[in-house]
Amino acid sequence: MSSVSHELKDTSVASSKWLDAHYDPVANLYTFSSCIALSDLHGDGENKLVVGDLGTGVCNVKLKVYRGTGVLSESTLLDLPTGLVSFLMDLHEPRTPAIAVASGPFIYVYKNLRPYFKFTLPSLEVNPLEQDVWSQAKEDMIDPMTLKEMLEGLRDKAEIPLSVRSLRFLMLEPQEMENFVLLHKEQPIRRQTVITCIGMLKKNMADEDAVSCLVIGTENGDVYILDPEAFTILYKMSLPSSPTLMDVTGQFDVEFRITVACRNGNIYILRRDSPKPKYCIELSSHPVGLVRMGKNVVVGCTHETLHGYTQKGKKLWTAYLPAPVTAMALMDLPTRGFQAVLVGLANCEVHMYRDKNLISTIKTPDVVTSICFGRYGREDGTLIMTTKGGGLIVKILKRTAVFDDRDSAPGPPIAQSIRLNVPKKTKLYVDQTLRERENAVAMHRAFQMDLSRLRLAAARAYVKALESSLTPMSASLTEPLKMNAVVQGLGPSFKLTLNIQNTASCRPVMNLAISFLYDENLYSMRTAFFKIPLLVPGLNYPIDTFVECLSDKGISDIIKVFVLREGKSAPLLTAHINMPVSEGLALN
Amino acid sequence: MKTDVQLPAATDLKKPRPKKAPELPILERRNWLIHLHYIRKDYETCKAIIKEQLHETQGMCEYAVYVQALIMRLEGKIQQSLELFQSCAILNPKSSDNLKQVARSLFLLGKHKAAIEVYNEAARLNQKDWEISHNLGVCYIYTKDFRSAEEQLNLALQLNKHDLTYMMLGKIHLLQGDTEKAIDVYKSAVEYVSIHNLTFKHTCFILYTMLLGKYQKAFEHLGNALTYDPNNFKAILAAGSMMQTHGDYDVAMNKYRVAAYSVPESPPLWNNIGMCFFGKKKYVAAISCLKRANYLSPFDWKILYNLGLVHLTMQQYASAFHFLSAAINLRPRMSELYMLLAVALTNLDDADNARRSYEQAVQLDESNLLVNLNFAVFLYNQGDKKAALLQFQEMERKVNTQVDSNINTEFDPELVEMAQKLGAALQAGENLYWSKPGKDSKSSQRSSSSKPSSSQQPLGTNQALGQAMSSAAGYSKSISVHPNAPSIPPEPAADVSSAPSPPTVDPGEPEDEDEVEETAEPAKLKEKKSKPKAVAE
C-alpha cells in the first residue's frame, strides 16, 4: 500500500516538472536522434527545430524546419539522411549557422535553408587488377563472359573489394551483360562508400559560436575531419569497424577526442596525433546510445543496461533498465549547472539519469525514437521527442523544477513486506493426515497388495495380447511386422489405408494375406480377403481398400483387420479400426 | 571497321545516349539503417528494410544477410540462420566475424565438434580474439575435452580478462573435481577483475571462500552483494540458506519473500521456504511449500527427500514411503535415502524389506556413522544381536578412521548418546573415541543440553555439513526407533531406544535445520553454476 502511494506521488511530482507545450501525434516524422538539431537558422535569436525526416523510408524524404508548433519550411532530400548537424562555417556577420545533412556518400550543406555546397566522399582505392580487366573490356579485348570469370576470380581472392560496377555486373543475366559493359565501360571505375555518422568539432576556439569542422564516419571504417570553409580533408583516421554513433569534444587545433561506437560492439576513443584508436571499450552488447557527460561517457546497450566509462575507457558504473533503450540524449542546462542523461525506453518512458541514479521519469504516449534537449524558440529547457508512430512531443522544463540528486538505493525492498503465498490446506487434508497416522500400516499393505494385483493384471493382459496376436506389432521373430491403419473420407464410402512395414533387418516376408472381419449388415467391402506382396525390410507398404457404409442411421462399428500367414489359422497381428460415423447419406 | 559501324548503330537503337551511364547505388548504402533498427530491437521494420535491400542487391549485401541471420537466430530458426551465415562467409571469406557466427549457430544446434572446427578456422583469420578462444573453450567443455578447454580459456584470459572466462575456467576445475585449481582461478579473478564489477567480484569471492570452507566470510560477502543489489535472486537464496543453517528462520523468510516476489516459481526457493517452516515446526505449511516445489520440479530428488523427511516427522509413514521411493528412483546410489526408506518400512511393520533397505544403505555408504548405528539398533530390536554387534563395530571403525585422519572429531551429541546406550546393551564400544574419559564427559554434557549446543556449533564448516546430514537422519531414526520399542518387550533394547525418545523432539529441531542446509546448499550451488551459462548465451 505504502509503496504504491509512494510511487504515485513520485510520478505526479515528475510530471509536474514539465509543461506540455505541444503534442502532435500525427506529425508524420520518422527520424532518429542523429537527424535532429536545434539551431538559430536566421540569426534572430530564436531557435528552430531542424529534422531530417526519413519519410516512408523510400520516398518523401524531407528536411523539415519547425518554428513554434508549425512547419516553417520543407525541402526534399534525394536520399535518406544519416545525420544532420548545425554548425558555424565562417566568421561572416550575421552569424547564421549552416546545416549539414549527411546522406549516402554526400554531405549537403544548406545556408539560409538554401542548398549551398555538396561534398562528396573521396573515392576509395580501386583494385588495379580490376582496373586492368575493365580497360581490356573497354578495348573490346575480352568478351563479357571472360570478364565475368576474371572478376569472379578477383572477388574471391583480392585484398581490395570490387567496385559497385563489377559487383552489379556479376549479378546480371548473360544476355544483359553486353549492354551493361557498353553502357559503363567509358566511365572511370570508382569505389565509393557511404557516411554512417556525422559530428562536429570546434576549430580553434572553445566559444559557443566558434567555427566548427565536420567530423564524419564512413561505412568502411574511416573518420574524416573536414575544413569548415573549403571542405577539404584535414585529417583522416581509421577504425576496425563501421562507426554508428559518434561524440566529439575539444578543438581541432589544440586537442580533441572522438568517441566512436562501432558496429562490432566496441567503442573506440580517437585522439589528435594518432590515426589509430587510442583506447578501446569492449561492450558485452551493442551500443544504442552514446552521450558524453562532462569527462565521462554514458553508453546505453541492447542488454537493457546503461554503463558509465571514463574517457580512458575504464568502467565506472552500470545501471539496469526496465526495458530496451530506443534513444538517448544529453540534457544540459548550463545556466543551472545541471546535466543529466535522457534515456528513451521501449516501455514508453523516458528516464533521466545522473550517473547511475535515476532522478526522474517521464511517461510518453508512445515509444520515443529520438530525443533532443536544448533551446527551442526562446526557451532554454525544451525537450523534443519524436515517437515511433510519427508523433512530435515538445515539453518545457518548469523553472521551479528541482531534481534532487539522491542515491537511488532505498532501504529494504518493498517485496519484503508482501506476504508469502503459502497454499492453504483444508480440514479434509488434516483428517486424512490423522487417518494415515492411525492406519499407516494397513494403508501401506493395501496399497502394496493392489499394486501387485495391478501389475499382475497388466502382465496377464500383455501376455494374452501377445499370444493371440491382438497387437498391431507382431511378436514373432520370423515375421516382425508393424501395421497401422488410416480411415479417410466422410462416408458412406471410406478409404481404408493399411500401412504395413517389415521391421526385420534383412529378411523379406512372403506369403501373407489380409482379412477383414466386420458386421455385414453395416459395411460392405469389395474384397474382404486379399494377398499382399513380398515385403522388403524397412519399406512402408500402403495398401488401400474401400469400405461402403450401408446404414444411414448414423451408427458405426469396429472393423478388425488380421494379417495372416498362409497355412496358419492364428493371425500374426490384429488391428481394430474404430470406423467413424458416416456423415453422407447412402446414395441409393 | 565493319563492327565499328555496326555497334553504335545497335546501341543507338536501344539507348539514345549511351555515354550517360546511370549512377549505380552502393551496395552498403542502407547498412546503417538496418543496424539502427536492429539494435533498437525493431525487428519488423528491420526485416522489411533487409528484404528491400536484398531485392535491390540480389542477395549480395553481406550485412543485410548477416542481420537477417541474427534476427532468425533470435526467433529460434537456428538452422536457417546457420545457412544464411554460411552464405555470408561465402560473400566475404576473409571476415572472421562471419565464421564466428556460423560456429555460434552450430554451437546452439549442439554440433560442438563442427563448431570447434569453424572456430579454429576463424582463429586462423584473427589470432587475437578473446571471443574465439573463450567460445572454443566452452565448446571443448561440452565435448568433455577439459584439457583443450583449459588451454583455450587460459589463452582467452591472456588476451582479455573477462569475468565469463574466469567463471568457465573455475567451472572446469570444479567439474574435474580439482578444487585447488578452482580456488586459484577464483582468487585471481577476485584480484584482476575491475573493482567496478562488484556483483561478479562477490560471486567469485563467495565461491572462493566457500570452497575454502570459510562460510562465515562467504556470508559476509553475500551480505555485501545484497546491499549492492538487494533483489539479486541467487544471492538471496544463498544467504537465506546460510541463515537457515544458523536457525534464523524469520530473517531467512524475510529474504525469501523478496525472492518469491521476483521469481515466484523457483523450486529451490519453495524447497527452502518449506524447510524454514519445518524448522519453525509449522509442518502443514512445510508440506504445502514442499509440495509446490515438487509440483514445479517433479524430478528433483532433494525435494522428495525433504518431503519424505517431513512426512516421517508427521508420522505419515505410508506417504513418506512413496516420496522416499520416488527419490530413490531418481537417485539410486545414495545411502541416506535407503536408510530413511528403511526407517519408514520399519514403521510400516515390514521388517524384511527394512532390513534389505538397510543392507543396501550400508553397502553404498562410505563414511556415514548413522547408517550403521541405525541398522545396529534395528537389528538389535529384531533380536539379531550378532549382526547388530557387527554393524556397531563397523561404525566404530568409521569413527576411528575419521578421528585418525582428523576429518571429524566433533560428533553429534545425540548420536554419541545413542551409540553409548547401544554399546552398553551389546557390551561393546569401550574403545570408541568418545567413550574415552574427558571427551566422554564433555559429550555427555553436550547431549544433556543438546539444543543450545548444536545451535552454537561453528556455523557451516565442511564438517558441520557432513554432520548435518548424519544428524538429520539420526533424528528421523530416533523417531523411528521408539515406536518399535513397545513391540519387542523382552529386549533390553527397549530401554536403549525408548530412553532417548523424550528428548528427541527437542534436539530434533536444531538438527533438521542442518538438513535444510544440506538440501539448500546443492540447490544454491546449482544456481551458481547455471549463472555463467545464462550470461554466455
Side-chain angles (χ1 to χ4, degrees):
Chain A
M1 265 296 278
S2 66
S3 68
V4 174
S5 66
H6 181 72
E7 232 174 60
L8 273 178
K9 206 175 74 191
D10 228 33
T11 51
S12 65
V13 166
S15 61
S16 72
K17 281 173 185 156
W18 299 91
L19 290 171
D20 290 326
H22 179 57
Y23 174 47
D24 181 2
V26 288
N28 218 357
L29 287 175
Y30 168 32
T31 185
F32 298 101
S33 294
S34 56
C35 292
I36 288 194
L38 288 163
S39 168
D40 182 9
L41 285 176
H42 304 101
D44 53 3
E46 201 178 327
N47 271 14
K48 320 294 184 295
L49 170 67
V50 190
V51 184
D53 183 9
L54 279 70
T56 59
V58 186
C59 55
N60 239 347
V61 187
K62 284 200 169 119
L63 182 68
K64 291 183 179 169
V65 180
Y66 278 82
R67 183 178 158 211
T69 56
V71 181
L72 184 70
S73 84
E74 272 186 4
S75 39
T76 307
L77 294 172
L78 292 175
D79 197 5
L80 300 184
T82 43
L84 175 158
V85 287
S86 142
F87 70 113
L88 283 161
M89 52 188 290
D90 48 36
L91 291 164
H92 302 315
E93 290 290 342
R95 306 292 313 272
T96 51
I99 301 289
V101 182
S103 157
F106 311 109
I107 296 177
Y108 300 98
V109 181
Y110 289 80
K111 251 193 139 177
N112 288 322
L113 290 177
R114 264 182 227 112
Y116 175 77
F117 187 77
K118 175 174 152 187
F119 167 81
T120 309
L121 277 181
S123 53
L124 304 170
E125 189 190 350
V126 177
N127 195 333
L129 291 169
E130 188 189 352
Q131 198 104 46
D132 275 0
V133 174
W134 275 101
S135 59
Q136 284 179 30
K138 189 178 163 187
E139 310 287 321
D140 288 328
M141 281 153 71
I142 48 175
D143 61 14
M145 285 318 284
T146 339
L147 179 66
K148 184 183 175 179
E149 272 164 36
M150 288 168 96
L151 286 175
E152 269 172 351
L154 279 177
R155 180 177 66 182
D156 295 342
K157 291 197 299 282
E159 290 294 315
I160 305 168
L162 295 184
S163 66
V164 189
R165 183 200 294 180
S166 306
L167 290 174
R168 285 271 158 196
F169 176 71
L170 291 179
M171 289 172 208
L172 295 176
E173 298 294 322
Q175 63 269 26
E176 294 170 328
M177 282 178 179
E178 192 149 359
N179 283 331
F180 185 87
V181 174
L182 279 175
L183 190 60
H184 289 277
K185 66 181 183 183
E186 296 301 325
Q187 309 283 313
I189 298 182
R190 278 192 311 166
R191 201 157 70 83
Q192 270 199 316
T193 184
V194 295
I195 300 173
T196 55
C197 58
I198 184 165
M200 56 174 179
L201 170 64
K202 298 265 179 326
K203 182 94 170 44
N204 48 21
M205 276 191 296
D207 302 350
E208 182 120 326
D209 58 348
V211 172
S212 300
C213 310
L214 289 180
V215 183
I216 49 177
T218 66
E219 176 72 30
N220 66 332
D222 287 331
V223 172
Y224 297 102
I225 300 178
L226 305 180
D227 183 82
E229 269 178 298
F231 292 99
T232 50
I233 292 166
L234 293 174
Y235 204 68
K236 182 190 166 186
M237 291 167 279
S238 56
L239 294 165
S241 174
S242 310
T244 58
L245 303 160
M246 182 189 278
D247 181 83
V248 192
T249 166
Q251 290 148 54
F252 178 74
D253 289 344
V254 189
E255 169 65 29
F256 62 85
R257 204 180 283 272
I258 306 175
T259 315
V260 193
C262 285
R263 219 173 270 165
N264 60 0
N266 294 350
I267 291 179
Y268 298 96
I269 297 166
L270 298 157
R271 292 180 63 173
R272 193 186 154 84
D273 302 330
S274 83
K276 290 271 166 205
K278 189 100 174 160
Y279 306 104
C280 167
I281 304 169
E282 284 188 12
L283 298 169
S284 54
S285 58
H286 281 289
V288 186
L290 175 79
V291 165
R292 187 175 38 81
M293 229 180 106
K295 292 206 157 182
N296 297 335
V297 178
V298 181
V299 189
C301 289
T302 45
H303 274 181
E304 303 179 12
T305 47
L306 197 66
H307 304 285
Y309 288 93
T310 63
Q311 54 184 355
K312 288 194 173 170
K314 243 181 116 178
K315 194 177 193 177
L316 291 174
W317 49 265
T318 300
Y320 297 92
L321 303 168
V325 182
T326 54
M328 269 174 77
L330 178 71
M331 173 174 168
D332 189 13
L333 274 174
T335 49
R336 288 159 72 170
F338 180 81
Q339 274 197 329
V341 176
L342 294 162
V343 187
L345 300 176
N347 62 352
C348 296
E349 281 182 344
V350 177
H351 283 195
M352 194 189 290
Y353 280 89
R354 193 159 163 173
D355 282 343
K356 64 169 180 169
N357 302 324
L358 173 67
I359 50 178
S360 174
T361 307
I362 306 165
K363 289 229 188 297
T364 52
D366 193 3
V367 179
V368 164
T369 53
S370 70
I371 304 178
C372 178
F373 184 89
R375 184 180 161 90
Y376 182 47
R378 294 182 187 275
E379 186 55 56
D380 271 334
T382 311
L383 174 65
I384 292 159
M385 298 178 281
T386 63
T387 65
K388 200 173 177 182
L392 173 70
I393 306 169
V394 181
K395 284 178 186 285
I396 295 173
L397 184 66
K398 280 190 184 169
R399 294 188 187 169
T400 54
V402 182
F403 297 100
D404 47 341
D405 193 8
R406 70 192 144 82
D407 203 313
S408 61
I414 316 147
Q416 195 158 314
S417 52
I418 295 172
R419 268 184 69 88
L420 269 181
N421 171 22
V422 177
K424 295 275 182 292
K425 287 292 177 200
T426 54
K427 174 118 191 341
L428 186 66
Y429 170 80
V430 178
D431 291 346
Q432 292 291 349
T433 309
L434 290 176
R435 193 172 75 86
E436 187 188 339
R437 254 189 222 185
E438 280 156 20
N439 308 311
V441 177
M443 283 164 89
H444 181 67
R445 286 198 179 140
F447 176 80
Q448 292 295 347
M449 179 76 87
D450 289 346
L451 185 64
S452 311
R453 278 193 189 135
L454 178 71
R455 281 180 182 154
L456 184 65
R460 271 188 188 144
Y462 185 56
V463 168
K464 196 181 160 207
L466 284 183
E467 275 173 354
S468 54
S469 300
L470 284 173
T471 53
M473 289 279 284
S474 136
S476 84
L477 288 173
T478 46
E479 292 96 7
L481 295 177
K482 206 169 86 176
M483 175 169 74
N484 69 54
V486 183
V487 184
Q488 287 170 321
L490 296 170
S493 54
F494 296 97
K495 183 175 169 190
L496 200 64
T497 310
L498 301 171
N499 292 302
I500 301 181
Q501 198 181 359
N502 178 3
T503 55
S505 54
C506 54
R507 211 142 47 107
V509 179
M510 288 175 288
N511 298 334
L512 294 182
I514 285 185
S515 148
F516 294 91
L517 189 67
Y518 53 89
D519 184 347
E520 293 192 357
N521 297 322
L522 263 178
Y523 297 105
S524 85
M525 258 178 176
R526 222 168 295 154
T527 46
F529 176 86
F530 49 84
K531 286 194 171 186
I532 47 177
L534 178 139
L535 298 179
V536 174
L539 292 185
N540 187 28
Y541 288 84
I543 295 165
D544 296 336
T545 177
F546 292 91
V547 184
E548 201 79 25
C549 182
L550 302 176
S551 154
D552 55 356
K553 295 195 178 73
I555 45 175
S556 65
D557 195 23
I558 291 173
I559 294 183
K560 291 180 183 173
V561 188
F562 302 102
V563 178
L564 303 154
R565 184 174 178 79
E566 257 175 41
K568 257 170 93 180
S569 61
L572 285 172
L573 36 104
T574 313
H576 291 219
I577 303 167
N578 283 311
M579 292 300 289
V581 174
S582 164
E583 284 176 34
L585 286 173
L587 283 175
N588 38 2
Chain B
M1 203 50 217
K2 207 176 167 189
T3 47
D4 247 347
V5 178
Q6 266 178 352
L7 263 176
T11 43
D12 266 340
L13 279 176
K14 280 167 195 163
K15 297 254 169 178
R17 287 153 61 202
K19 288 279 178 269
K20 192 84 176 173
E23 195 71 37
L24 292 167
I26 300 160
L27 290 183
E28 303 91 44
R29 70 197 186 105
R30 291 280 182 267
N31 286 6
W32 62 274
L33 193 63
I34 294 170
H35 181 79
L36 271 183
H37 284 287
Y38 172 68
I39 57 173
R40 281 173 175 76
K41 305 195 175 173
D42 187 359
Y43 299 132
E44 288 312 311
T45 325
C46 198
K47 278 196 277 192
I49 299 170
I50 289 170
K51 201 174 160 195
E52 200 177 301
Q53 191 59 17
L54 287 179
H55 178 74
E56 185 185 306
T57 61
Q58 299 178 12
M60 297 292 277
C61 180
E62 181 198 345
Y63 189 73
V65 180
Y66 182 83
V67 175
Q68 173 93 63
L70 285 177
I71 294 176
M72 281 204 161
R73 191 157 74 193
L74 284 173
E75 287 170 345
K77 298 171 190 157
I78 300 174
Q79 187 60 43
Q80 280 153 290
S81 91
L82 174 66
E83 283 156 20
L84 285 177
F85 281 128
Q86 277 164 340
S87 58
C88 271
I90 293 168
L91 283 175
N92 185 358
K94 296 219 159 41
S95 152
S96 70
D97 206 35
N98 289 338
L99 287 179
K100 261 165 32 183
Q101 298 297 348
V102 169
R104 176 88 193 141
S105 285
L106 283 171
F107 173 79
L108 289 175
L109 285 171
K111 295 174 183 165
H112 301 298
K113 286 229 174 74
I116 288 173
E117 270 171 37
V118 180
Y119 271 128
N120 277 328
E121 211 173 304
R124 268 197 293 282
L125 290 170
N126 187 354
Q127 298 281 334
K128 286 190 177 164
D129 190 331
W130 161 80
E131 199 187 332
I132 294 177
S133 302
H134 175 84
N135 286 340
L136 257 179
V138 177
C139 283
Y140 279 125
I141 294 180
Y142 281 101
T143 52
K144 301 258 186 309
D145 184 355
F146 292 120
R147 248 195 35 211
S148 311
E150 204 183 318
E151 206 174 282
Q152 287 297 335
L153 289 177
N154 278 322
L155 201 67
L157 279 181
Q158 278 171 20
L159 294 170
N160 205 336
K161 297 196 188 310
H162 268 271
D163 327 353
L164 271 179
T165 318
Y166 277 118
M167 289 308 263
M168 289 318 270
L169 197 56
K171 196 178 147 191
I172 293 183
H173 291 312
L174 284 179
L175 277 177
Q176 287 176 300
D178 195 343
T179 328
E180 291 280 310
K181 272 192 175 170
I183 290 175
D184 282 346
V185 169
Y186 289 130
K187 214 167 151 185
S188 52
V190 170
E191 278 165 22
Y192 282 116
V193 169
S194 64
I195 314 159
H196 311 295
N197 198 345
L198 276 175
T199 22
F200 172 69
K201 212 176 153 120
H202 282 302
T203 324
C204 279
F205 204 89
I206 290 158
L207 282 174
Y208 163 52
T209 42
M210 284 217 307
L211 287 171
L212 283 177
K214 292 180 189 158
Y215 286 89
Q216 193 62 45
K217 265 208 159 153
F219 186 67
E220 278 168 24
H221 274 265
L222 270 175
N224 284 343
L226 276 177
T227 45
Y228 179 72
D229 180 7
N231 289 318
N232 189 320
F233 177 71
K234 285 157 203 152
I236 289 174
L237 211 58
S241 82
M242 284 190 177
M243 288 169 186
Q244 265 176 296
T245 324
H246 290 239
D248 284 345
Y249 299 117
D250 290 318
V251 186
M253 286 289 257
N254 269 340
K255 293 284 164 216
Y256 290 147
R257 263 182 221 136
V258 180
Y261 182 72
S262 56
V263 188
E265 295 194 339
S266 150
L269 173 71
W270 283 105
N271 174 58
N272 286 5
I273 293 176
M275 292 321 275
C276 254
F277 279 123
F278 184 58
K280 290 164 78 174
K281 296 193 203 170
K282 291 179 179 166
Y283 297 122
V284 177
I287 288 176
S288 298
C289 293
L290 285 172
K291 280 193 174 158
R292 174 176 287 179
N294 183 43
Y295 173 78
L296 294 169
S297 169
F299 298 117
D300 188 339
W301 68 272
K302 279 170 231 136
I303 299 168
L304 289 166
Y305 182 112
N306 285 339
L307 268 170
L309 196 71
V310 178
H311 280 98
L312 276 182
T313 319
M314 291 287 279
Q315 298 171 32
Q316 286 173 267
Y317 301 113
S319 306
F321 170 82
H322 286 294
F323 289 118
L324 289 170
S325 64
I328 285 174
N329 277 325
L330 293 168
R331 198 169 163 95
R333 309 217 52 82
M334 191 177 170
S335 88
E336 280 83 359
L337 279 172
Y338 285 102
M339 182 179 74
L340 289 184
L341 188 71
V343 172
L345 284 168
T346 315
N347 285 294
L348 290 169
D349 278 350
D350 192 349
D352 293 343
N353 283 323
R355 186 179 184 128
R356 276 160 59 193
S357 183
Y358 269 127
E359 272 159 7
Q360 186 75 26
V362 167
Q363 198 191 334
L364 292 170
D365 182 64
E366 273 159 10
S367 62
N368 194 343
L369 308 178
L370 252 297
V371 177
N372 299 101
L373 182 64
N374 279 339
F375 195 13
V377 173
F378 169 78
L379 289 169
Y380 188 77
N381 288 340
Q382 293 284 311
D384 192 349
K385 269 196 183 185
K386 224 188 217 167
L389 192 62
L390 268 176
Q391 286 304 322
F392 193 73
Q393 281 162 348
E394 177 64 19
M395 183 191 72
E396 278 177 2
R397 195 186 55 73
K398 281 182 186 168
V399 169
N400 288 333
T401 48
Q402 282 185 20
V403 171
D404 288 345
S405 54
N406 254 333
I407 302 167
N408 188 2
T409 48
E410 299 242 341
F411 291 96
D412 178 53
E414 203 201 338
L415 180 140
V416 172
E417 196 182 341
M418 178 68 93
Q420 277 169 341
K421 284 190 177 149
L422 186 66
L426 290 167
Q427 281 115 37
E430 283 80 18
N431 55 344
L432 223 54
Y433 169 68
W434 52 68
S435 51
K436 280 163 197 155
K439 302 235 163 91
D440 184 22
S441 57
K442 204 168 107 194
S443 64
S444 59
Q445 255 175 13
R446 274 172 145 251
S447 60
S448 61
S449 56
S450 62
K451 188 172 186 176
S453 73
S454 49
S455 50
Q456 275 162 17
Q457 276 175 358
L459 289 152
T461 55
N462 260 337
Q463 298 157 1
L465 233 164
Q467 233 172 349
M469 197 60 215
S470 54
S471 51
Y475 164 49
S476 45
K477 174 60 197 168
S478 52
I479 301 171
S480 74
V481 173
H482 70 87
N484 260 2
S487 63
I488 314 154
E491 294 295 322
D495 271 334
V496 179
S497 43
S498 61
S501 61
T504 41
V505 185
D506 271 7
E509 269 340 290
E511 284 155 13
D512 55 71
E513 91 212 359
D514 291 326
E515 163 55 28
V516 173
E517 197 219 25
E518 212 300 303
T519 51
E521 201 77 27
K524 180 193 62 202
L525 276 178
K526 214 179 1 174
E527 289 293 323
K528 285 269 163 53
K529 275 179 205 154
S530 68
K531 189 181 166 192
K533 218 190 282 168
V535 182
E537 294 306 329

